[in-house]
């Protein structure tokens, strides 16, 4: 049986949550509740319901995993986009340089 690890249940996750609660207070609690409610609503869609069983997870763990994933994605999105744009810029600059060297 596979070991399931939810980031929010780790010591580092709990420490981060306590830090954020101290910084943002009730606003964070409302945001957290909204994210969890949205993930639970998504997890109840008929097309999504069989997924936890296929992945060998409990439905509640699946919902929490969806919430964690959406938070992590949204927090890291600016960095991911920046890296993607730099990568595309490097690729197209190198491609343009190769094309101009071939025609010379």
């Amino acid at each position: 049986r596979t070991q399931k690890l939810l980031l929010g249940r780790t010591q580092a996750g709990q420490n981060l949550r306590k830090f954020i609660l101290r910084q943002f207070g009730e606003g964070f609690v409302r945001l957290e509740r909204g994210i969890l409610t949205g993930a639970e609503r998504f997890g109840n869609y008929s097309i999504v319901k069989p997924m936890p069983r296929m992945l060998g997870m409990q439905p509640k763990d699946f919902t929490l995993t969806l919430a964690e994933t959406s938070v992590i994605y949204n927090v890291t999105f600016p960095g991911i986009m920046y890296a993607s744009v730099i990568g595309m810029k490097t690729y197209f600059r190198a491609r343009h340089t190769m094309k101009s060297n071939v025609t010379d």
Side-chain angles (χ1 to χ4, degrees), residues 33-88:
R33 197 174 305 128
I35 290 170
L36 288 174
T37 301
E40 287 174 3
R41 200 174 315 128
F42 178 75
N44 286 326
Y45 287 142
S46 61
I47 197 165
V48 177
K49 271 191 174 184
M51 287 182 189
R53 283 191 306 274
M54 290 188 298
L55 297 171
M57 297 178 75
Q58 295 295 320
K60 180 126 177 98
D61 289 342
F62 182 71
T63 301
L64 290 173
T65 302
L66 287 175
E68 285 181 352
T69 303
S70 66
V71 168
I72 290 170
Y73 175 76
N74 287 316
V75 166
T76 60
F77 183 75
I80 292 169
M81 284 306 300
Y82 178 77
S84 295
V85 168
I86 296 300
M88 287 186 290

